[in-house]
Each structure stands twice: as C-alpha cells, then as structure tokens.
C-alpha cells in the first residue's frame, strides 16, 4: 500500500517540479530536504496523538499513509531527475496533436517513467518492510503487526528460542532477496536511467 501510494503521488509531483520550475522551486527543495533529514522520532508523538484522536491506531491503511508521507520526498527527487532525462520534444509533439497537460503526463511521460516507478516501488517496499519504529508504535494489535515487529516479539525476557528466531529471520529476508534478484536488472536500469540528462 505504501509503495502504491508513493508511486501515485510522487509521479505527477515529480513531473510538475521537473517541467514547471519557478521561484518556489528552491523553497520546495528546502522543504523536501528538511523532511528527508528530520528523524522520525521528532514527529512520532504528535503524529500518534493525532492518530489516536482520529481513531486510526491499529489501522494498516493509516500506517501506509504515514509511510507514503515519509518516503515521498526521496521518491519525488528520484523521479524528478528521471523526468528531466525525457526529451521535451515528445511533449511538444503531443501538444501539436492537441493533448492536454493531463494527457501529456498520462500517455507520454508516465509510460516512459516505468523503470523509475519500479525503482521507487522497490525502494519504498523494502523500506516499509524493514521499518520498525512506526509499525511498533501504531500497530499494537497482534493481528495487525508487521513481520519485523513480530520478529522482535520472539525475543523473550529470560529465554529465547533461537531455532524459531532463525526460521523467522529466513521467512522475513527471503521475500526481499527474491524480489531483488528477480527485479535486479530493472532496478539498476531505473537507478541509472535518470542519472544523465539527455
């Protein structure tokens, strides 16, 4: 859910920031950099207070919304450099054909952003899979906890079943390794495609 939310929100935002640079771009850059560098512990308490008031604690979509907000700035920066590598002549050609701004994005830019979107989805998915602080704070019901939180709960105060812990570690790591091995080439292509502006 977090990867999907980031891709849906970051793609049009990156397109606008890449093509419509104005005076506010420096302010937005500073804002995104600030959100990337601020540690999660700084806004954990006010965020929990708001979510508790709204009754969103122990809600998986609510946690996915937090992850979407956390990982969007980096994803926007990554996709913005990817959009800058797409020739503007393609958009001009679509304008000649009478395409609107939304049609240019949906039919011209978005298909060419697929490697970048896949890269963002992989990075966000891995970060959300491995994230602990938000998950352990907002998901307190045993039916909703993530794999990382469940793995942490396997550690006993006086004794630990190491066989159970090692089996759980394999179960947690195996999907991540398989996804990365299967999508390794597309991931690398997506990371390097937006590195050089053509």
């Amino acid at each position: 859910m977090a990867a999907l939310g980031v891709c849906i929100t970051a793609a049009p935002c990156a397109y606008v920031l890449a093509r419509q640079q104005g005076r506010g771009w420096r302010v937005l850059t500073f804002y995104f950099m600030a959100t990337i560098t601020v540690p999660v512990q700084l806004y954990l308490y006010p965020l929990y207070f708001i979510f508790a008031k709204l009754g969103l604690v122990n809600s998986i979509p609510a946690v996915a919304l937090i992850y979407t907000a956390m990982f969007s700035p980096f994803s926007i920066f990554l996709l913005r450099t990817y959009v800058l590598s797409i020739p503007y002549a393609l958009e001009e050609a679509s304008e000649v054909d009478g395409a609107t701004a939304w049609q240019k994005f949906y039919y011209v830019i978005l298909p060419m952003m697929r490697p970048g979107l896949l890269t963002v989805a992989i990075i966000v998915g891995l970060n959300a899979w491995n994230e602990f602080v938000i998950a352990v704070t907002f998901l307190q019901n045993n039916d909703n906890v993530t794999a990382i939180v469940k793995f942490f709960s396997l550690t006993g105060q006086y004794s630990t079943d190491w066989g159970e812990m090692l089996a759980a570690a394999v179960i947690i790591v195996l999907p991540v390794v398989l996804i990365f091995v299967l999508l390794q080439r597309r991931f690398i292509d997506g990371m390097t495609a937006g590195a050089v502006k053509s």
Side-chain angles (χ1 to χ4, degrees):
M1 292 174 67
L4 181 63
V6 168
C7 289
I8 290 173
T9 56
C13 185
Y15 171 66
V16 170
L17 292 178
R19 295 298 192 230
Q20 306 292 332
Q21 293 188 24
R23 295 180 180 178
W25 167 242
R26 293 181 183 274
V27 177
L28 285 174
T29 303
F30 176 77
Y31 172 75
F32 287 139
M33 289 298 294
T35 56
I36 290 173
T37 55
V38 170
V40 65
Q41 291 83 359
L42 190 63
Y43 53 84
L44 191 61
Y45 177 74
L47 196 61
Y48 182 83
F49 180 77
I50 293 170
F51 273 53
K53 285 285 187 182
L54 296 175
L56 296 176
V57 178
N58 290 322
S59 172
I60 294 176
V63 173
L65 182 65
I66 297 172
Y67 289 159
T68 301
M70 282 175 56
F71 304 133
S72 286
F74 169 77
S75 303
I76 290 170
F77 272 123
L78 182 64
L79 290 176
R80 179 184 173 272
T81 59
Y82 197 83
V83 172
L84 289 174
S85 68
I86 300 174
Y88 188 69
L90 296 174
E91 295 178 61
E92 291 176 338
S94 65
E95 286 179 3
V96 172
D97 292 336
T100 62
W102 173 252
Q103 289 172 331
K104 284 191 301 181
F105 170 72
Y106 188 77
Y107 292 108
V108 178
I109 300 298
L110 197 59
M112 300 186 72
M113 288 177 64
R114 285 179 184 169
L117 287 172
L118 181 63
T119 302
V120 165
I122 292 173
I123 292 173
V124 171
L126 292 178
N127 286 333
W129 181 264
N130 292 324
E131 203 281 327
F132 178 77
V133 176
I134 296 292
V136 78
T137 303
F138 288 88
L139 298 177
Q140 300 170 357
N141 190 345
N142 284 331
D143 296 333
N144 295 337
V145 296
T146 60
I148 300 298
V149 176
K150 197 68 173 176
F151 179 75
F152 176 75
S153 68
L154 293 177
T155 305
Q157 184 177 0
Y158 301 106
S159 64
T160 301
D161 188 347
W162 291 104
E164 185 181 39
M165 282 198 69
L166 291 175
V170 170
I171 292 172
I172 291 172
V173 171
L174 193 59
V176 176
V177 173
L178 287 177
I179 289 172
F180 187 77
V181 168
L182 293 175
L183 301 176
Q184 181 180 7
R185 178 175 294 180
R186 293 180 183 269
F187 176 76
I188 294 172
D189 290 343
M191 286 295 289
T192 58
V196 180
K197 182 178 178 181
S198 57

